[in-house]
Amino acid sequence: MKNITIGITAHVDSGKTTLAEAILYKTGAIRKLGRVDSGSSALDTDSIERERGITIFSAQAEFTANDIRYTLLDTPGHVDFTAETERTMCVLDYAILVISGTDGVQSHTHTLWKLLQKYEVPVFIFVNKMDLIGAEKSSIIHDLSNKLSAECVDFTGNSSEIAEVSAFCSEKLMEKYLSDNGLDTTDIAEAVKNREIFPCFFGSALKMEGIEEFIGILRDYSLPSVYSSEFGAKVYKISYDQKGTRLTHLKIMGGKLCMRDEINYRDIDSNDITGKISSIRFYTGEKFRSSESAFSGDVCAVTGLAGTYAGQGIGFIRNSDRAFIEPVMTYKVILPDEVNVYDALKDLRLFEDEDPQLHIVWNEQNREIHIQLMGAVQIEVLTRKILDKFEFAAEFADGAVAYKETIRFPVEGVGHYEPLRHYAEAHILLEPLPLGSGLVFDSSCSEDELDRNWQRLILTHLAEKTHIGVLTGSPITDMKLTLVAGKAHLKHTEGGDFRQATYRAVRQGLRSAESVLLEPYYEYELSVPNENVGRAISDLQHKSAEFSSPEMYGDISIIKGYAPVSEFNSYQAEVIAYTRGKGRLSLNFSGYRECHDTERIIAETGYDCDGDTENCADSIFCSHGAGYNVKWDKVWECMHIPFAADLNNSEESYEEKSLKASRFIEKAVSDEELMAIFEMTYGKIKREPSRAFKKTKVVNIEDKNLRLPKYSGPDYLLVDGYNIIFSWEDLKKIAEDNLDAARGELINRMCNYQGYAGCELILVFDAYKVKGKHRDVEKYCNINIVYTKESETADTYIERVTHTLSKEHRVRVATSDGVEQMIILGNGAMRISASEFKKRCIAAETAIKEYIDSMK
């Protein structure tokens, strides 16, 4: 009999488990139809699931349709347990995505859709609750097409109607439809398998409407996978039965598995293990049948294997990639006085075995257990599980956001470990990667310099440790760590020596680099009554959130965007309060971004990177038979191997600076007004009389080896005038006595800077300082000065202009206004803080003065 594994997933309260129950009942897999609200469903077997009425753990069941046996995997719908859903997706042949007919595509639906895209799972869509008022078929199809995919096709008609609408999903199907005057069921099924069509069906699981027809759709348009004869399996879940027996849930991806078979694999620490299968179980809810063997396509649970973990590949199957969903909050575990902290740590590690995303962190210095979770519901479930399994009541302190760290520019870290009769040196190149990339490990070191076995050992040491950053002690991410050089001793090098050298090299690189603090962000959807939109937008600005224009649906407005987790954790209660229960906030984890309040977080954390003896950046060298410590910033003077990486300096070279300065001076000579400002700043240019008659050489920028941006026009720099004046101390002092004088001084400086930088510079001043009903724009020397209208702020003008210009030009905005900076980034422009802009202006003036001095 052919096997197909199909998973069922949905936004919470969409009727997912009810649909699974209805399918099992209609196909005869269960005799009695259970209900979620009464706690009698066949798939929600855990007592916590039945009490709360939600799915927390993925469950397995089997049903048969014609000659195909389906394994149905019911997954959690609550956002706090999305990691459990993601782990299940790696073994699915198809997925059923349940959509509420009254709510449509919700925020968590988008997350599930991204996961299905990541794992390339074909999808059948069942729109549930169509018996309720407000559920309109045409509206739902439009919603699915706009928010998920244009290939979401209505499959509620007869075969000829299904063939007709399917033909519009691809050119290949359309050509066959026209040539053959129709499409075969197999043609459509192959398109569904290739994710070219997403069949949609409508019904009511609670009232058993459309269930038989939907099962027919599954039967007709799903195809079994083709498997290899070689044995392979993918582990998707670890659990324990009522007797405490460890169960490894896996799918056979090739070959055959039998009782008493011995299989070889590696545990999470890369240790080689040989396990013997002691039993094979096929579950339906909490009941199971035992079997002597499992074949390709079967999903089963086996006993006898230790050290397995979710996402593990066995045989020819490789391990799953890094998980998309990660916990965003860290909580301290508070134990009863009579419970030994080390015993509790050992017990809690069992939960980490079941859920790899539930990170248990031991703080040796404070003798505390910390745990990383997704949210409050997961805390309640974990508290109950601890009480039931270990019989003690644990509490969790207020959660803190789980930060991460990365670096801004590449750096080569050096680690040397040479106490007496030991020797190892490793050079690790740390390079930043795009956000969400995680950690990547590689080696570019020649085997002539360092033996392959030592290189493999170093890569193992890089991967085995959770390396932490130097800002807050948070784990590092989004980096590529490459072994670029290393050295061993024929007699004195041992394996542990390279562990020390590798750890110290990474740490030394982090200490030398410009570190960046990252924080988790939510993708949110805020639904409020129209009269509360103003309050909502004000809150979003205050919370450093990105947001789109409100979308109005009758009396309700919906605002979507992204916001820091730290700002939104308690916002749900505020929304309910100011909307009097009419508002709704949906949150989904969207990844990590640069922290919006780095300095405050660093100060509150109080992490002392130099005092962290467990993560030392210093190196150990040997002299006169004794080892001695060398501080991390002095290692370069003592290292035995020269730098291996060729790191390009991001700063301008002396030649580039001289080129800009010479262009500016040549331009100033030809412009009398600009020359007056130039000489006011730098004094008159003293040149030999004979040189004045020499023809100025025209500089062709194409002859220079410069990195030019790929834009269709010039670069633009917008400067928030009064923000800069009151951010620069020297201009601020002038403004305290005479604001006009400060404004004039800034204008002169901007003229000089524009001449050096060569960009189009627009200086914007607020209307409240300069009266006038109409906006004034004047050209002064080489810059444009804008005085906004009396009712218009500089922020508003800059936001509008950046939105227009950034489509075709590279646009920078100099301001230290936090809210304005966030909107600027959303418009596609780049921000420059007031302090950074001052550094650039000073650097420009210095380059010009140096060039003038060289002409004398």
Side-chain angles (χ1 to χ4, degrees):
M1 183 176 289
K2 298 178 181 179
N3 292 334
I4 292 179
T5 304
I6 191 163
I8 184 165
T9 186
H11 189 286
V12 67
D13 293 334
S14 295
K16 169 183 57 59
T17 302
T18 304
L19 175 61
E21 201 84 10
I23 292 174
L24 295 177
Y25 180 75
K26 281 291 185 181
T27 55
I30 57 176
R31 296 183 179 180
K32 182 179 179 182
L33 189 64
R35 292 284 298 271
V36 174
D37 51 5
S38 63
S40 59
S41 62
L43 295 178
D44 287 344
T45 59
D46 191 274
S47 59
I48 307 175
E49 292 179 313
R50 290 177 171 175
E51 289 176 9
R52 297 188 65 92
I54 61 173
T55 302
I56 298 174
F57 312 104
S58 61
Q60 175 182 338
E62 294 178 337
F63 68 91
T64 302
N66 287 1
D67 61 341
I68 300 178
R69 185 175 73 222
Y70 288 89
T71 300
L72 181 66
L73 299 178
D74 186 20
T75 64
H78 196 282
V79 65
D80 280 10
F81 307 100
T82 310
E84 178 88 0
T85 302
E86 180 176 5
R87 288 191 292 273
T88 306
M89 287 185 179
C90 66
V91 299
L92 298 182
D93 295 319
Y94 292 88
I96 300 173
L97 178 63
V98 184
I99 304 291
S100 170
T102 54
D103 297 321
V105 178
Q106 298 171 271
S107 58
H108 188 49
T109 311
H110 286 288
T111 301
L112 296 172
W113 190 257
K114 290 177 182 177
L115 289 174
L116 292 167
Q117 284 180 319
K118 174 185 175 181
Y119 293 100
E120 299 180 346
V121 181
V123 182
F124 290 90
I125 298 175
F126 185 86
V127 183
N128 195 22
K129 303 183 180 181
M130 291 302 294
D131 57 313
L132 300 181
I133 297 175
E136 297 182 3
K137 183 177 178 180
S138 59
S139 175
I140 293 296
I141 284 289
H142 179 74
D143 196 37
L144 294 171
S145 299
N146 288 340
K147 296 180 179 179
L148 297 185
S149 172
E151 283 69 46
C152 294
V153 176
D154 184 1
F155 268 45
T156 54
N158 55 43
S159 58
S160 60
E161 292 173 338
I162 292 175
E164 182 178 352
V165 294
S166 298
F168 287 95
C169 293
S170 73
E171 293 183 5
K172 180 181 177 181
L173 290 178
M174 179 58 75
E175 291 175 0
K176 186 155 190 179
Y177 180 82
L178 295 176
S179 61
D180 299 348
N181 197 27
L183 292 174
D184 294 336
T185 301
T186 305
D187 297 328
I188 301 175
E190 288 179 352
V192 173
K193 183 75 172 178
N194 296 328
R195 289 178 52 88
E196 297 173 356
I197 298 176
F198 302 103
C200 302
F201 203 84
F202 300 80
S204 171
L206 185 62
K207 295 187 177 180
M208 304 294 289
E209 296 176 358
I211 303 302
E212 289 187 6
E213 293 83 355
F214 182 62
I215 294 172
I217 294 293
L218 292 178
R219 180 192 62 235
D220 295 339
Y221 298 105
S222 59
L223 299 174
S225 299
V226 178
Y227 298 100
S228 169
S229 59
E230 180 184 359
F231 174 73
K234 174 59 71 72
V235 179
Y236 72 94
K237 178 182 176 181
I238 303 296
S239 68
Y240 292 84
D241 64 12
Q242 295 179 349
K243 297 181 179 179
T245 304
R246 190 177 193 270
L247 300 175
T248 299
H249 299 259
L250 48 80
K251 179 179 180 180
I252 310 300
M253 310 294 283
K256 177 183 177 182
L257 183 66
C258 298
M259 286 270 291
R260 293 173 292 281
D261 278 354
E262 291 188 351
I263 58 176
N264 301 316
Y265 55 93
R266 287 188 172 185
D267 64 12
I268 199 167
D269 296 322
S270 298
N271 298 315
D272 291 326
I273 294 179
T274 299
K276 186 175 183 179
I277 305 298
S278 56
S279 70
I280 299 176
R281 304 178 182 180
F282 291 88
Y283 275 87
T284 295
E286 59 185 350
K287 299 178 180 180
F288 67 87
R289 61 178 175 86
S290 297
S291 177
E292 289 289 325
S293 57
F295 299 89
S296 296
D298 284 345
V299 177
C300 58
V302 301
T303 61
L305 302 184
T308 50
Y309 56 92
Q312 179 183 22
I314 300 176
F316 71 92
I317 302 297
R318 67 179 184 86
N319 293 342
S320 296
D321 295 331
R322 176 170 167 264
F324 179 78
I325 304 297
E326 298 181 15
V328 297
M329 301 295 294
T330 301
Y331 298 83
K332 184 175 76 172
V333 181
I334 302 175
L335 302 170
D337 295 337
E338 66 275 10
V339 176
N340 182 280
V341 65
Y342 295 104
D343 292 338
L345 178 63
K346 183 180 178 180
D347 292 338
L348 293 176
R349 292 288 186 194
L350 295 176
F351 293 132
E352 192 177 39
D353 190 27
E354 297 180 40
D355 185 355
Q357 295 302 94
L358 190 149
H359 298 308
I360 308 294
V361 181
W362 170 246
N363 188 318
E364 179 66 36
Q365 185 175 359
N366 298 327
R367 291 168 51 86
E368 294 175 346
I369 302 174
H370 293 258
I371 188 167
Q372 294 181 1
L373 301 170
M374 289 297 296
V377 177
Q378 198 174 8
I379 288 178
E380 295 179 24
V381 172
L382 187 60
T383 303
R384 174 67 178 274
K385 289 178 66 178
I386 293 173
L387 182 61
D388 292 345
K389 193 163 187 175
F390 305 118
E391 298 181 347
F392 66 82
E395 297 180 1
F396 295 86
D398 292 339
V401 171
Y403 293 93
K404 293 187 178 183
E405 297 182 30
T406 187
I407 57 175
R408 201 175 299 280
F409 303 111
V411 65
E412 183 175 326
V414 180
H416 190 96
Y417 186 70
E418 191 187 359
L420 185 61
R421 296 178 181 174
H422 293 270
Y423 185 93
E425 180 167 310
H427 289 222
I428 307 297
L429 175 63
L430 284 68
E431 300 174 279
L433 294 178
L435 293 176
S437 301
L439 292 178
V440 178
F441 307 104
D442 196 9
S443 175
S444 62
C445 182
S446 171
E447 293 184 16
D448 294 334
E449 298 178 5
L450 189 63
D451 188 76
R452 179 185 297 182
N453 291 331
W454 291 128
Q455 293 192 34
R456 288 176 175 174
L457 182 62
I458 291 173
L459 292 178
T460 299
H461 292 325
L462 285 174
E464 71 186 1
K465 178 180 171 64
T466 300
H467 302 280
I468 62 174
V470 298
L471 299 178
T472 61
S474 302
I476 63 172
T477 188
D478 301 335
M479 275 189 266
K480 182 178 181 181
L481 279 65
T482 306
L483 171 65
V484 291
K487 188 175 182 180
H489 193 278
L490 289 175
K491 294 182 179 179
H492 299 318
T493 300
E494 299 177 358
D497 299 342
F498 270 113
R499 178 186 290 108
Q500 287 290 335
T502 302
Y503 291 173
R504 293 168 189 266
V506 174
R507 190 67 172 176
Q508 196 269 348
L510 293 173
R511 291 290 278 120
S512 306
E514 180 183 350
S515 294
V516 179
L517 186 64
L518 304 176
E519 66 176 336
Y521 265 67
Y522 281 137
E523 180 181 7
Y524 69 86
E525 182 177 298
L526 177 60
S527 175
V528 296
N530 293 337
E531 61 267 21
N532 297 123
V533 170
R535 164 66 189 272
I537 292 178
S538 176
D539 286 350
L540 296 175
Q541 290 177 334
H542 180 70
K543 294 179 181 295
S544 302
E546 301 175 13
F547 54 90
S548 59
S549 300
E551 302 174 8
M552 297 183 65
Y553 297 92
D555 297 334
I556 298 296
S557 291
I558 296 178
I559 306 174
K560 301 177 183 178
Y562 301 88
V565 169
S566 58
E567 300 285 352
F568 260 56
N569 271 334
S570 59
Y571 189 48
Q572 177 72 62
E574 295 181 40
V575 171
I576 294 174
Y578 74 73
T579 62
R580 298 181 181 179
K582 298 179 180 178
R584 186 181 65 183
L585 178 66
S586 298
L587 302 172
N588 282 299
F589 173 65
S590 70
Y592 277 76
R593 302 187 184 186
E594 187 168 344
C595 183
H596 77 289
D597 199 7
T598 299
E599 294 182 1
R600 182 182 65 84
I601 299 302
I602 293 175
E604 290 181 355
T605 304
Y607 175 67
D608 180 12
C609 58
D610 290 325
D612 188 351
T613 56
E614 294 185 5
N615 296 278
C616 184
D618 303 338
S619 284
I620 305 296
F621 287 82
C622 186
S623 178
H624 303 291
Y628 66 97
N629 188 74
V630 176
K631 295 296 292 182
W632 66 270
D633 54 347
K634 303 293 183 183
V635 173
W636 302 300
E637 302 172 5
C638 305
M639 62 187 185
H640 292 179
I641 309 173
F643 282 123
D646 182 18
L647 300 179
N648 293 322
N649 195 335
S650 61
E651 297 181 356
E652 292 177 324
S653 65
Y654 177 80
E655 290 76 17
E656 290 173 327
K657 293 180 179 179
S658 298
L659 174 61
K660 286 187 175 182
S662 64
R663 288 209 310 260
F664 174 40
I665 292 175
E666 289 163 4
K667 183 178 179 181
V669 171
S670 62
D671 189 324
E672 294 181 357
E673 190 173 14
L674 182 58
M675 189 63 183
I677 296 174
F678 174 86
E679 292 184 344
M680 187 188 309
T681 305
Y682 303 104
K684 291 189 176 182
I685 300 177
K686 298 179 182 179
R687 294 189 294 177
E688 296 178 7
S690 59
R691 292 187 62 181
F693 294 96
K694 291 183 179 179
K695 186 175 181 179
T696 303
K697 180 181 178 181
V698 177
V699 179
N700 185 2
I701 197 167
E702 295 180 355
D703 296 335
K704 301 295 179 180
N705 185 23
L706 299 176
R707 295 180 180 178
L708 297 177
K710 296 180 181 179
Y711 289 95
S712 60
D715 295 351
Y716 280 81
L717 172 64
L718 284 82
V719 181
D720 189 340
Y722 288 112
N723 183 279
I724 296 297
I725 287 176
F726 293 105
S727 297
W728 293 2
E729 288 298 325
D730 54 342
L731 293 182
K732 185 178 180 180
K733 289 181 180 179
I734 299 174
E736 291 174 356
D737 297 327
N738 189 328
L739 184 59
D740 289 335
R743 188 166 57 242
E745 176 65 21
L746 178 62
I747 291 173
N748 290 340
R749 293 188 187 183
M750 293 301 99
C751 289
N752 288 328
Y753 182 80
Q754 189 282 332
Y756 173 82
C759 58
E760 290 291 329
L761 193 147
I762 303 175
L763 182 58
V764 185
F765 290 103
D766 277 317
Y768 75 95
K769 299 291 183 181
V770 179
K771 298 295 183 181
K773 294 183 179 180
H774 302 284
R775 184 188 304 117
D776 291 326
V777 181
E778 65 179 58
K779 182 79 174 180
Y780 182 73
C781 295
N782 52 341
I783 67 172
N784 295 291
I785 305 176
V786 177
Y787 299 94
T788 63
K789 294 185 293 187
E790 210 166 351
S791 60
E792 184 183 38
T793 65
D795 296 355
T796 305
Y797 178 84
I798 290 173
E799 292 161 13
R800 184 172 61 255
V801 172
T802 55
H803 179 74
T804 302
L805 291 177
S806 60
K807 297 177 180 178
E808 298 181 358
H809 305 271
R810 181 168 64 180
V811 181
R812 292 186 176 90
V813 179
T815 181
S816 288
D817 188 316
V819 175
E820 186 181 355
Q821 286 183 348
M822 297 299 294
I823 298 174
I824 289 165
L825 289 176
N827 289 342
M830 291 169 279
R831 59 183 180 180
I832 308 173
S833 66
S835 59
E836 177 62 25
F837 185 47
K838 187 174 184 180
K839 292 179 182 178
R840 297 190 182 191
C841 291
I842 293 174
E845 292 179 0
T846 302
I848 294 171
K849 288 178 180 179
E850 290 176 353
Y851 186 80
I852 293 173
D853 292 340
S854 68
M855 295 175 60
K856 296 180 180 179

